[in-house]
Amino acid sequence: MYYRKVSEYISTREEERRNITTHYTVVMSEISVFNGKEEVKLPSYGIKILQEIFDGEKEKIEIIEEKVTNISPYFEKVDKLAQFFKEMTVSPVHLYEVIDDMCEDYISDYDRQAKLCKVAI
């Protein structure tokens, strides 16, 4: 599946003689949903968190990456979520745990958007 980077927020912190740079990226793809009898293609936004850990010499010692690709068809909601994750310093390891708690608030957006497409057809 193809993903396109839409926006990115970067956080850098120092911890135990290591520098940690975390990228919170909003990615866009496309998802197919049914609105009754028809298949409708909707934009779908998700979040990718990439964490690079450097030793004191600026040598990369570890990379951790995780992504959730289908959070909402609304860019603004996912972009605010990426900013929130940056402020809360959510690590890639904890991305699924955090998203799992919020899933129901966002997944219904696809149903709403599909119904709007049904009205427009």
Side-chain angles (χ1 to χ4, degrees), residues 98-115:
V98 175
I99 285 290
D100 192 40
D101 292 340
M102 305 172 152
C103 189
E104 288 186 26
D105 295 336
Y106 289 88
I107 202 75
S108 61
D109 291 343
Y110 290 105
D111 292 334
R112 271 187 241 113
Q113 191 65 25
K115 285 178 186 175

Side-chain angles (χ1 to χ4, degrees), residues 85-98:
F85 286 175
K86 178 185 176 252
E87 290 170 15
M88 300 305 293
T89 62
V90 173
S91 75
V93 175
H94 296 103
L95 176 60
Y96 282 110
E97 292 174 27
V98 175

Side-chain angles (χ1 to χ4, degrees), residues 5 7 15 27 31 37 50 54-56 79 95-96 114 117:
K5 179 175 150 180
S7 68
E15 190 175 283
V27 294
I31 190 170
K37 297 179 184 176
L50 173 83
F54 300 88
D55 68 5
D79 192 57
L95 176 60
Y96 282 110
C117 291

Side-chain angles (χ1 to χ4, degrees), residues 15-76:
E15 190 175 283
E16 298 175 12
R17 288 192 238 143
R18 299 182 311 171
N19 292 317
I20 301 171
T21 301
T22 308
H23 302 260
Y24 300 89
T25 306
V26 177
V27 294
M28 180 184 161
S29 62
E30 197 172 73
I31 190 170
S32 296
V33 295
F34 287 93
N35 66 355
K37 297 179 184 176
E38 289 188 342
E39 180 181 14
V40 177
K41 293 194 182 282
L42 299 175
S44 184
Y45 296 93
I47 294 177
K48 177 176 91 171
I49 301 178
L50 173 83
Q51 193 168 66
E52 300 172 305
I53 302 170
F54 300 88
D55 68 5
E57 306 295 318
K58 297 287 184 187
E59 183 177 324
K60 198 179 295 185
I61 57 174
E62 187 176 5
I63 297 175
I64 305 168
E65 179 181 339
E66 203 59 68
K67 69 179 164 233
V68 176
T69 54
N70 298 313
I71 297 174
S72 175
Y74 302 119
F75 167 74
E76 296 80 14

